[in-house]
């Protein structure tokens, strides 16, 4: 009897283990079906939403619906659905539907879908079809759909200024697209054809005209400032072409010549006429700026202003800069006899003026260079961050949506010779030897038990 029990002991133990294992699996499946949980164990959170996207979702107060126009069984459809699942983790009432455009052509046409894989977002009766599939594009669209108002940025054009919708290297088309992504309505404004700056203008952007201003234009700019409007003025060396009264209105002191900065060579800039802003003041205006900005062909300013205006802060070049009055080709050096002043030189002035009528603060930013925000230069170093910081300081709080950063390229794994040697020894010698010892030990223990 005892021998029979011993023979049944092992099968009974195996059967009990199998029953317990099945019970654990069934209970785990039941819990997963009722309580969805998600963990991202990647070092950089590659499978989770960024804090910027979470902040955008937190502002929603209604259900969000996403329709993906792709074959649900295709890798593209599944991949986009996985991306949208990150949003549903933070917004549990979000609805996600994957629709095959070949089976539902009417819905596809109604959503104005032209490419397989596009996403239609619906929120409170508003809808937008995305042309790009990425966290940045999806979050930007959600922010636009959830915005209760659309602030207007008016860009003065009509006299050869930089065009907000232009594609030339000197234009501001890329900056305009950045503003559109963040919920602003950036539109050109020809003050030669309208009597005044529209009352709903949140920010007025002014660059240096290439032809003299038409009569009455500068007076309309001053009227806009008189009623408390915020202004971003992108200056450039050369003739002001009719903007002289605006200089007097603000009391600006424009130093002669063009800023030359010896620190530009360390950033790989071949030409000397580039102002480098490498250090930022401790001020809310520049709190998030940490990458140097390059201002090619920049003017410099004094710090005196007209009565009533206050200098809130300014951005300046380094000590190895000066305002070069002479030629910019060949060997150059500072000549203080002709008025070339040593750095640091202010190249961005942040002005403010209290408005007692409504208790708010009027803000004006004057930049000695407009090229830094142009299509050709906005992607260099910290220029884009600086341009957006300027507009954020001029706008009302919450106007400029902070979007997720562009995805970074994964860092390459580079191993030195010692690391490669340790990995080779561990995988080819140490681990196989350890497994061999464990196997021999188990065999020995079983031999002793018999």
């Amino acid at each position: 009897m005892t021998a029979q029990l011993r023979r049944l002991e092992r099968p009974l133990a195996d059967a009990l283990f199998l029953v317990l294992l099945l019970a654990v699996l069934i209970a785990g499946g039941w819990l997963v079906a009722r309580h969805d949980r998600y963990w991202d164990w990647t070092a950089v959170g590659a499978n989770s939403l960024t804090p910027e996207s979470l902040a955008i979702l937190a502002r929603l107060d209604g259900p969000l619906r996403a329709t993906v126009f792709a074959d649900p069984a295709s890798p593209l459809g599944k991949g986009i659905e996985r991306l949208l699942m990150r949003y549903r983790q933070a917004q549990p009432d979000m609805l996600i539907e994957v629709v095959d455009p070949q089976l539902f052509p009417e819905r596809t046409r109604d959503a104005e879908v032209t490419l397989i894989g596009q996403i239609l977002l619906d929120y409170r009766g508003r809808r937008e079809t995305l042309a790009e599939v990425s966290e940045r594009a999806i979050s930007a669209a959600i922010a636009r759909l959830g915005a209760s108002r659309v602030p207007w940025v008016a860009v003065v054009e009509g006299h050869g200024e930089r065009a907000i919708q232009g594609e030339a290297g000197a234009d501001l088309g890329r900056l305009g697209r950045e503003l559109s992504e963040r919920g602003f309505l950036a539109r050109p404004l020809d003050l030669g054809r309208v009597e005044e700056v529209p009352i709903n203008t949140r920010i007025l952007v002014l660059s240096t005209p290439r032809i003299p201003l038409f009569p009455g234009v500068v007076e309309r700019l001053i009227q806009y400032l008189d009623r408390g409007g915020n202004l971003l003025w992108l200056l450039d060396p050369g003739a002001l072409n009719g903007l002289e009264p605006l200089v007097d209105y603000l009391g600006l002191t424009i130093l002669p010549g063009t800023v030359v900065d010896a620190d530009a060579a360390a950033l790989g800039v071949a030409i000397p006429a580039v102002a480098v802003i490498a250090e930022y003041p401790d001020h809310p205006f520049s709190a998030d700026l940490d990458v140097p900005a390059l201002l090619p062909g920049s003017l410099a300013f004094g710090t005196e202003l007209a009565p009533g205006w206050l200098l809130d802060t300014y951005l300046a070049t380094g000590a190895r800069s000066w305002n070069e009055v002479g030629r910019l080709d060949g060997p150059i050096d500072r000549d203080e006899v002709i008025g070339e002043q040593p750095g640091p030189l202010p190249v961005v002035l942040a002005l403010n003026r209290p408005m007692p009528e409504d208790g708010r603060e009027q803000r004006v930013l004057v930049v000695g260079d407009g090229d830094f925000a142009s299509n050709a230069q906005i992607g260099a170093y910290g220029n884009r961050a600086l341009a957006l910081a300027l507009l954020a300081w001029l706008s009302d709080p919450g106007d400029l949506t902070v979007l997720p950063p562009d995805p970074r390229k994964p860092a390459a794994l580079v191993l030195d010779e010692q690391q490669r040697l340790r990995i080779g020894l561990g995988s080819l010698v140490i681990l196989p030897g350890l497994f061999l010892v464990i196997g021999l030990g188990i065999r020995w223990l079983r031999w002793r038990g018999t």
Side-chain angles (χ1 to χ4, degrees):
M1 186 66 179
T2 304
Q4 292 178 350
L5 290 176
R6 287 181 179 177
R7 283 196 301 269
L8 293 175
E9 182 177 354
R10 184 60 179 268
L12 288 174
D14 292 342
L16 180 60
F17 172 78
L18 181 59
V19 170
L20 292 176
L21 178 61
L22 290 175
V24 170
L25 292 176
I26 294 173
W30 180 79
L31 290 173
V32 167
R34 290 182 58 88
H35 306 282
D36 193 11
R37 292 294 182 268
Y38 178 84
W39 293 274
D40 185 2
W41 292 348
T42 58
V44 295
N47 297 311
S48 300
L49 290 180
T50 60
E52 293 84 359
S53 294
L54 294 174
I56 292 172
L57 289 174
R59 296 199 291 265
L60 301 181
D61 57 358
L64 177 68
R65 181 185 182 91
T67 306
V68 182
F69 289 88
D71 184 357
S74 67
L76 177 62
K78 293 180 179 179
I80 298 175
E81 188 177 14
R82 283 196 298 270
L83 174 60
L84 292 173
M85 286 298 295
R86 304 179 191 176
Y87 288 85
R88 194 158 72 179
Q89 293 290 334
Q91 197 81 6
D93 58 349
M94 178 180 178
L95 301 176
I96 302 174
E97 183 182 9
V98 184
V99 174
D100 191 339
Q102 295 182 352
L103 300 179
F104 299 93
E106 293 184 359
R107 293 184 62 181
T108 304
R109 286 194 299 270
D110 181 63
E112 299 181 353
V113 170
T114 58
L115 297 172
I116 296 177
Q118 286 188 268
I119 303 172
L120 173 65
L121 293 176
D122 289 275
Y123 176 72
R124 290 194 175 277
R126 306 173 195 165
R127 58 192 302 186
E128 181 174 341
T129 301
L130 279 64
E132 178 187 351
V133 178
S134 66
E135 181 182 342
R136 181 183 177 90
I138 295 172
S139 297
I142 294 174
R144 291 191 294 269
L145 292 174
S148 58
R149 55 182 180 174
V150 181
W152 188 29
V153 176
V155 183
V156 178
E157 297 183 18
H159 309 85
E161 297 92 344
R162 302 174 188 271
I164 192 61
Q165 297 173 345
E167 297 299 329
D171 289 333
L172 306 174
R174 292 181 62 183
L175 179 61
R177 289 190 289 273
E178 291 278 352
L179 290 173
S180 297
E181 280 190 346
R182 287 163 170 78
F184 278 87
L185 185 63
R187 290 292 183 268
L189 174 66
D190 189 349
L191 288 176
R193 298 185 177 182
V194 298
E195 294 297 326
E196 64 176 359
V197 178
I199 196 67
N200 61 338
T201 299
R202 187 67 51 83
I203 303 171
L204 186 68
V205 178
L206 173 66
S207 58
T208 303
R210 284 185 279 181
I211 61 174
L213 295 178
F214 298 151
V217 171
V218 71
E219 288 78 12
R220 290 161 191 158
L221 291 172
I222 293 176
Q223 290 173 5
Y224 169 76
L225 291 175
D226 282 340
R227 70 172 193 242
N230 293 344
L231 172 68
L232 172 60
W233 188 2
L234 304 176
L235 273 167
D236 285 299
L240 293 173
N241 287 326
L243 291 175
E244 292 84 357
L246 188 57
V247 173
D248 297 335
Y249 180 85
L250 298 174
L252 298 178
T253 301
I254 302 176
L255 301 183
T258 305
V259 174
V260 170
D261 199 330
D263 292 336
L267 298 176
V269 180
I271 59 175
V274 175
V276 179
I277 303 176
E279 296 183 2
Y280 297 95
D282 184 13
H283 187 272
F285 160 72
S286 55
D288 297 326
L289 300 178
D290 54 4
V291 179
L294 306 181
L295 280 63
S298 177
L299 295 169
F301 306 102
T303 55
E304 301 82 11
L305 300 173
W309 289 99
L310 303 174
L311 183 61
D312 200 318
T313 188
Y314 62 86
L315 305 182
T317 58
R320 299 203 298 162
S321 62
W322 69 91
N323 58 312
E324 177 61 41
V325 177
R327 296 173 60 89
L328 296 173
D329 53 347
I332 56 176
D333 200 359
R334 187 174 72 86
D335 187 354
E336 61 183 21
V337 175
I338 59 176
E340 294 179 350
Q341 302 182 20
L345 297 174
V347 292
V348 179
L349 301 179
L351 287 60
N352 67 56
R353 181 171 64 174
M355 304 299 293
E357 296 82 2
D358 52 11
R360 68 181 185 86
E361 178 184 79
Q362 182 184 14
R363 294 178 175 181
V364 172
L365 279 165
V366 183
V367 186
D369 165 57
D371 286 316
F372 88 99
S374 66
N375 296 335
Q377 297 290 334
I378 195 171
Y381 288 90
N383 286 9
R384 185 176 78 168
L386 175 60
L388 294 175
L390 298 179
L391 292 163
W393 190 71
L394 292 173
S395 61
D396 290 343
D399 275 350
L400 195 65
T401 302
V402 180
L403 297 181
D406 294 324
R408 295 178 298 178
K409 294 182 179 179
L413 178 61
V414 180
L415 302 177
D416 57 29
E417 186 176 351
Q418 291 294 328
Q419 291 172 328
R420 290 196 297 269
L421 178 61
R422 287 195 290 268
I423 292 175
L425 288 175
S427 59
L428 298 177
V429 178
I430 298 177
L431 286 179
L434 181 61
F435 294 151
L436 179 61
V437 171
I438 293 174
L440 293 175
I442 293 174
R443 179 62 180 171
W444 181 74
L445 290 174
R446 289 180 177 177
W447 177 77
R448 287 196 58 188
T450 59

